[in-house]
Structures are given as structure tokens and as C-alpha cells.
Amino acid sequence: MLTTQQADYLRSLAAPHVADAEGRRTPLTHLARRCRTSPRESWPGLVAAHYARSAPGPGPQALSARELVEGVRLRLLPEDALDPVPATTMSSVRELADGVLLALVLDRPGGVGVLTDIDVRRAGHDALVDAALARLARLPVEHEEVSTASGAVLHFLTADSPFTAGKALILGDVVRDLTGAELPDEGALVAMPHRAEVVYHPIVDGLASDVLDHLQAYVAGAHQAGAHPLSPRLYWWHRGDLVALTEVDPRTGGSALRLPAELRDLLRGMHRLHRAGRLAGRAGTDAAVDLPDLTRATARSVKSLPEHPEALAGTFAQAVALAHAACGQDPRAADADTWDAWATATQLGSALFTGTHPLICQLGEDVLLSVPACPAEPPADARGWLDALYLALVCRQQDRIAWLCRVPLAALRADDTVDAYVLHWIDTLQTYFTVGAVCVPDKLLAALETSVPEQAGRAPGDFVTMVDRPPVALFHRLVTKDADAFAEALADAVAQHTAFWGDSDAPRSRVALGALAMACVAHDQGLPVDAGLPYLPRYLVGGERVEDIP
């Protein structure tokens, strides 16, 4: 931190203050950090003030209960900071997570020391913890955001204090105070490589999977290089608890990531949602789309299918994005080009899941595209199947609806990135459109009961509540033929869609696809549908734009 000349000068300033050190090493790390950012002429004052604060004071046993409460702090310590046997029996120390101890300490001019059981009994454990948490909340920290190559954002909380790492205990409150945003229910990846730093990444999108190795590598390096190392592990902050994600070999010191099943399933599910552009306000999913560019790109993808039939799934996803994006410029779906986008997406969706003879797609007046014949080999993509069915319902494709409902549910159950409610919902729709409403109630009830965040583990809670569940609730009102309840549920579905996407320009923000599909079915069954609701293109709801599709 200092040049040789600066270090010699600092030692000369410190020497008179440690004359009675009796040969013990006296670290100057803290002083070096402060001096390197201060003018040289201020160094004598900084050194004198430092040692004045460090002058011995009365021990804990000489303090009253009130003085103990006024001086108590929460501090994170490495797992080997205390002798293992006393640490397990002290009421002031507990294991916070693998590799980290949480201790009640006394912050006095003479230094920081762990409170004894006598101290804890004298002041009261709860009173000490409450006071220490309040003091931790008031500790100021600097907040810096750093973007990785993948676009993921790492947040750094730093302060020149031995108590900074304790901010991980109250991370939700800290994030709210610093950014005005709440940590997601899914939590955050967190690390405390040394006592003066907390690093975190909120789990808000599929990039959390990409950042795992990057963050673990940073933590390992920062732990080795830090003046006061704390933990080389990566943790999952979830509902106020820290769960270690890094397994350290005590013999070799080597480490490896070991994710609990709950987090592994969540990250896999979010990664797929993120790649499909289904998450709101997440990096890479909310940028504005250039409609002509997306149209040309989709046309190129369709043209390449004869040589690359394996790209059909990606081409279908691109066509779905185009259909949504077209309604950004044409929210009523009044234009022929908008209809072409919806028709093409419908053709590709049914082709992907049910196979097809050779067919012709159209994107614009003069753009006719050939799609080769393909076998019925439905991929394990449950939400992709829902997209295909929703499109067929909107475009009134009765044959394609029937074909899609014959796709074996077992093939879609192989999609291990979705929660159980998605498969219950698919089972409900397949039953309704093949057998009728008589066999639906039990299946619909299962979909409703499981489409809540508490039952889900592979999708974010807000996505479950605001995107996936509204079509299920709408279908419930549709099969009961309750016009008023359906109208209320439809307005709520649109409100949920609006709240989820906010001001995002992502393609999927332009249309509430599931709600639109249910509105089209309701319209055709004679239920009144409010034509003025946003995100439900009126000429698709009413069928005025619907044409024959090859």
C-alpha cells in the first residue's frame, strides 16, 4: 500500500506509541490504509488519534449492564478464530453458516473482545442482540456496482470497519436503504471474503447461473489477498439465512461449488425463463426491439430450416417474439403484417410439437417462406407448448388445437425446469379441448392450488403470481360461465401483466398472451369481453383480423 520511504516514515511515527510492546508484532495495516489516501503532513495526527483510541480501557467485568449494551457489536469471525470447544459453549458465539461464526463483541478503546457468558447474563442476550443489530444498521458503507462480461451486476459494500461483513446479516434492509429496491424472494448470492467487504448478486434472472463461477473465483482471490480474511466461501442469502454453497477440503484447501437442490432447480428454471425473454426488468430482456430487423432475422431463420431443421425450436421462439413485438407498433393488430407474424408463429408452434407436411409461411406482402416437412417429435418444453396452444386459440386454429392436445403429457413432463402447476395446467387444457369440461374440475383445482409461490420452486414468485396464474384463474371463470367474474378476472390479469412488465420494451411486454387466449375463447363462447383493455389486441380478440392459415 505504501512505498518503502512512506512505510519507514509510518513506522517512525508509530514507534513511540508501541514502546511497551515487548517485541510483539504490531500491525499497521489499518493505519497504512488511512495514510495512503491522506496528505503526508496529516500523518502524525492520524497516528496519534489512532493510538489514543486504542488506549486500554476498563475490561467488560468493570462495566455496567448498560455500558455493555452501549458498546456491544455483532462481528463475523472466521471459523478458526476461536478455540473450537469454548466457541461451541459460549452464549455470545454461534455458527452463522459453514465457515463463519457470529459473535457478540465489546467495542472499547482497548480493542474488540468477545463477550463472556457472565457478560451476556448480566446485560441480557436479547437486549445485546437488539442493540448490536441497531448499531450494525447505522454503520455507513460505500456501494459500488460492477458489471461482468455476461451483463450480470455485482454489488460491493465496503467500509473501513471490522464490522462491515456483518451487513450480510441484514442484507435485505441494507439493499432497501441503499438502492430503494427490495431483494427478490429468491434471495442473492453473497460473499464476505474479508471483514471489510460484502459482495452480492440478486437472483433476478438467468444470469445468476453465469455469475456463480465468476463470483467464486473472485471470493477465493480476495480472501487470500485480504488483510483480514473472513471466508473463501460463496453463500446463498435466502429469507434472512445464509447457506454455504462452497465446499472446502480441509486437507488440501481446494474448493468446489455444491448447490442445494432448491437453489439448483431455481437457477435452472430462471435460466430458461431468462433466455426466452419471459422475465421483466432483467438484464438483456427489456431492451427495445427493432421490428424490421426482427422480421428480417425471423425470415432468415425460417429460410434456413431446410438445411438446419434442428433450429425449429429457436425459430419458433423468434417468431413468438416477432408476433408480440408487432403489437407494440400495432396494438389493435389491425395490420396485415401483424397478422402474418401471428400466423407464422402459430404454424411453427404446431410444427414443432406435432410435426407438419411442407407448408408456406408469409411475413409481409412479398415474403413467402417454405417450411419443410418434419416429424412429430415434441421437445420437453412445457411453456413452449403453452405458447403454441395459446397462439392456436388466438388464431382460431381448431385442427392445430386438437393436434397439440394429443401431444403426450409424458413428453412435456420431461421438462424439469418447470413447476408442477405448469403441467397441471397443461393437463387441464388438454382434457378440456379433447373431452370437454366434465372431466376438468379436479385437474383445474390442482392447477389453482399449486400455482402459488409457496408451491413453486423453479420460477420467481412474481412470475408465478403475475404471469402464469392469471390464465388459470380466467379459465376457472370461463368454465363456470360467470360473465361478471370473468370480466373482473380479465381486468386483473391485464393489471398483473402491466405491473410485472412495468416500462419494459421487451417483446413479451406487448401482449398478455395467456389472458388473450382465454379472452378469445370467452368471446367465441358468447361471454362479453372488454375491447378497450390494453395488451389484448382487439382485432385478435374479436376475430376480425383472423384469416385462414395454410
Side-chain angles (χ1 to χ4, degrees), residues 196-263:
E197 180 180 69
V198 176
V199 189
Y200 73 91
H201 171 74
I203 300 176
V204 293
D205 54 31
L207 294 178
S209 301
D210 301 331
V211 84
L212 275 169
D213 290 333
H214 178 92
L215 188 52
Q216 178 58 53
Y218 168 78
V219 171
H223 177 261
Q224 284 188 331
H228 300 281
L230 180 55
S231 174
R233 292 171 169 85
L234 187 60
Y235 297 88
W236 179 27
W237 188 95
H238 189 225
R239 298 168 185 165
D241 293 327
L242 285 173
V243 179
L245 305 179
T246 310
E247 200 172 79
V248 178
D249 188 325
R251 294 177 294 104
T252 65
S255 62
L257 286 171
R258 296 286 186 269
L259 305 188
E262 183 181 2
L263 179 60

Side-chain angles (χ1 to χ4, degrees), residues 30-31 34 45-57 107-111 160:
H30 180 77
L31 271 172
R34 298 199 64 188
L46 289 173
V47 172
H50 172 81
Y51 286 105
R53 289 193 301 272
S54 302
D107 185 20
R108 301 290 291 172
D160 191 6

Side-chain angles (χ1 to χ4, degrees), residues 323-324 327 330-333 338-339 342 346 387 389-396 425 467 470-472 474 478 486 489-490 493-494 497 510-524 529-531 533-543 546:
H324 283 73
C327 293
D330 179 23
R332 298 183 303 166
T338 302
W339 167 252
W342 281 79
T346 301
D387 277 349
L389 183 72
Y390 289 158
L391 289 161
L393 291 171
V394 170
C395 295
R396 276 63 168 195
W425 176 223
V467 175
V472 185
L474 278 167
L478 190 152
F486 182 86
L490 185 60
V494 171
H497 176 89
R510 301 307 191 181
V511 178
L513 181 58
L516 172 62
M518 295 301 104
C520 291
V521 175
H523 174 274
D524 293 352
V529 176
D530 185 353
L533 288 172
Y535 307 114
L536 304 176
R538 64 179 301 173
Y539 293 127
L540 292 177
V541 173
V546 173

Side-chain angles (χ1 to χ4, degrees), residues 256-334:
L257 286 171
R258 296 286 186 269
L259 305 188
E262 183 181 2
L263 179 60
R264 185 181 64 247
D265 291 345
L266 174 66
L267 294 181
R268 291 181 65 204
M270 292 185 71
H271 184 70
R272 189 160 190 171
L273 288 170
H274 176 84
R275 289 186 60 191
R278 297 178 187 270
L279 296 182
R282 273 62 170 182
T285 64
D286 55 0
V289 171
D290 185 289
L291 188 59
D293 283 351
L294 182 56
T295 302
R296 287 190 290 270
T298 305
R300 286 196 299 271
S301 295
V302 175
K303 287 179 181 178
S304 71
L305 288 176
E307 292 77 30
H308 302 284
E310 73 283 357
L312 179 56
T315 304
F316 170 55
Q318 203 167 26
V320 173
L322 176 61
H324 283 73
C327 293
Q329 293 187 14
D330 179 23
R332 298 183 303 166

Side-chain angles (χ1 to χ4, degrees), residues 156-159 161 164-166 191-199 218 222 230:
F156 290 78
L157 308 177
T158 56
S161 166
T164 305
M192 306 84 69
H194 51 84
R195 72 183 192 182
E197 180 180 69
V198 176
V199 189
Y218 168 78
L230 180 55

Side-chain angles (χ1 to χ4, degrees), residues 169-192:
L169 289 169
I170 54 171
L171 189 63
D173 295 336
V174 175
V175 172
R176 187 185 309 111
D177 292 342
L178 289 175
T179 69
E182 299 284 345
L183 273 181
D185 291 340
E186 293 69 40
L189 303 175
V190 181
M192 306 84 69

